[in-house]
Amino acid sequence: MSIKTILGRSLISPADFSVDELELLFKLCSRIITEDSYLRESCRGKILASLFFEPSTRTRLSFEAAMLRLGGSCIGFAEPGSSSASKGESLADTITVVSSYSDVIVMRNPKEGAALLASQYSRVPVINAGDGGHHHPTQTLTDLVTIKQLRGGFDNLTVGFCGDLKFGRTVHSLAASLSRYPNIRMIFISPDELKAPSYITNDILKKNNIEYIETDRLEKVIGDLDVLYMTRVQRERFLNEEEYLRLKDSYILTPDKMKKAKEEMIVLHPLPRVNEIDIEVDADPRAAYFKQAEYGMYIRMALIAAIAGVAGC
Ligand code: CP
């Protein structure tokens, strides 16, 4: 198998790439991390269009930084108010036009299915940077590569997901992706109102015989975990503000709680965080969420290089 199977393809859902293709991307990413000059300037003359219809710090800026580090250029908008979408232009028309200006499109849109629709109108590959509560596949690549870099692989890990497991699309995508690796065990930690949806627990985990449990007590299970994936309670997805206010501080990871965790456990968070990780945890060597955000740029470099056909492995 060669990385060339990714050439020219869109990435809409984390399952679009096989486990073998992911392995090749992780290898490419690892080389980018260790060899400062690897693939630098390989995308000279290529243009990335970043179309963000929803706010973002990490995803948009890491994609743009990735393309600039590869020697390419970036165009785009950071909020729809500055695009002709505000005048009523359809997504299909926007994508038809932008795909004639660029070599790859990265798009975040609040509507579920928007990235798939965009890929049907685009002449160039489309990378989904988040479509509502649906998918965020490059966050999943970021999470997987961070676990791979810091834990050496995925087999035999116990991974805990904590917080808003109902609206957190990164949790759904990561749990589904991890279910493709052997001997994974998952622990879902949430209040009853924010439990992981049954299309994850029943349709994916149970069907694939993945061992998992659900609990509302972080303290009870933290000592069993190899990876703790914290999440923000997603205010923007609640229909009822009172419900959000009641649930927003359900879990706060503190140095005290970290005392019960294994020495080699890593703490991940897709960020942004609000209250769910006390800033005093940042100094703990097991806090890996800022490293994770950095790896997000390297895996996006690998992805752009593979899609654009400039990666040579
Ligand atoms: N993790 C993530 O998607 O962050 P942003 O919303 O800042 O892009």
Side-chain angles (χ1 to χ4, degrees):
M1 158 122 2
S2 139
I3 196 84
K4 297 213 180 305
T5 60
I6 293 174
L7 171 65
R9 278 167 59 188
S10 289
L11 176 60
I12 307 301
S13 142
D16 288 350
F17 293 161
S18 69
V19 167
D20 289 343
E21 286 170 335
L22 290 183
E23 204 51 43
L24 292 171
L25 269 183
F26 298 152
K27 252 193 188 165
L28 199 57
C29 181
S30 176
R31 203 159 158 201
I32 290 168
I33 291 170
T34 52
E35 285 177 48
D36 202 37
S37 62
Y38 185 57
L39 293 179
R40 292 294 175 107
E41 304 303 314
S42 62
C43 278
R44 184 151 297 284
K46 296 202 181 283
I47 295 175
L48 176 137
S50 62
L51 312 184
F52 277 70
F53 294 86
E54 263 197 335
S56 166
T57 296
R58 274 145 295 274
T59 312
R60 184 173 70 83
L61 295 180
S62 65
F63 260 116
E64 293 184 4
M67 189 50 150
L68 295 173
R69 282 168 180 253
L70 293 169
S73 309
C74 302
I75 58 173
F77 51 83
E79 43 108 12
S82 62
S83 80
S84 287
S86 63
K87 300 178 211 159
E89 185 170 50
S90 70
L91 181 62
D93 284 1
T94 302
I95 294 295
T96 302
V97 172
V98 173
S99 72
S100 69
Y101 301 158
S102 57
D103 299 286
V104 58
I105 293 175
V106 174
M107 185 182 80
R108 173 172 289 183
N109 192 292
K111 291 199 181 118
E112 283 150 26
L116 181 63
L117 181 85
S119 71
Q120 289 159 352
Y121 283 91
S122 180
R123 292 174 8 190
V124 301
V126 172
I127 302 173
N128 182 7
D131 59 334
H134 208 195
H135 291 303
H136 188 355
T138 63
Q139 181 63 49
T140 308
L141 293 182
T142 299
D143 302 338
L144 290 172
V145 86
T146 305
I147 295 172
K148 175 116 180 139
Q149 287 284 327
L150 301 182
R151 295 299 313 235
F154 309 106
D155 303 354
N156 299 308
L157 291 180
T158 299
V159 180
F161 295 94
C162 179
D164 182 351
L165 311 187
K166 178 180 178 188
F167 296 115
R169 62 188 171 198
T170 63
V171 169
H172 308 162
S173 296
L174 182 58
S177 293
L178 286 172
S179 72
R180 304 199 286 179
Y181 295 92
N183 302 321
I184 281 269
R185 186 170 170 254
M186 300 187 203
I187 302 184
F188 295 99
I189 308 140
S190 73
D192 217 36
E193 297 88 336
L194 297 178
K195 277 169 77 168
S198 66
Y199 78 83
I200 296 294
T201 48
N202 287 339
D203 301 352
I204 297 179
L205 304 184
K206 272 190 191 150
K207 264 194 191 144
N208 290 292
N209 293 319
I210 307 293
E211 190 186 335
Y212 76 91
I213 58 167
E214 294 177 289
T215 176
D216 59 0
R217 294 276 314 281
L218 175 60
E219 293 90 331
K220 207 171 99 186
V221 295
I222 193 168
D224 298 332
L225 304 177
D226 301 305
V227 177
L228 171 58
Y229 194 92
M230 294 296 295
T231 61
R232 172 178 69 93
V233 175
Q234 307 226 343
R235 179 180 212 151
E236 64 276 27
R237 315 250 180 246
F238 275 78
L239 296 176
N240 178 335
E241 178 76 359
E242 269 173 33
E243 174 101 326
Y244 165 73
L245 294 173
R246 187 169 61 79
L247 294 171
K248 72 183 174 68
D249 291 328
S250 297
Y251 302 98
I252 300 177
L253 186 64
T254 58
D256 217 39
K257 289 188 186 124
M258 288 294 284
K259 283 183 192 151
K260 300 192 178 89
K262 291 181 191 171
E263 258 178 46
E264 66 280 12
M265 184 190 81
I266 55 171
V267 182
L268 302 184
H269 189 309
L271 304 178
R273 84 173 136 186
V274 184
N275 272 336
E276 57 280 357
I277 303 179
D278 188 307
I279 56 168
E280 284 185 32
V281 175
D282 297 357
D284 190 309
R286 296 168 290 184
Y289 28 91
F290 291 123
K291 190 49 116 182
Q292 180 185 4
E294 183 186 342
Y295 286 153
M297 178 180 67
Y298 299 129
I299 193 67
R300 289 175 175 113
M301 286 175 75
L303 179 65
I304 295 168
I307 285 177
V310 297
C313 75

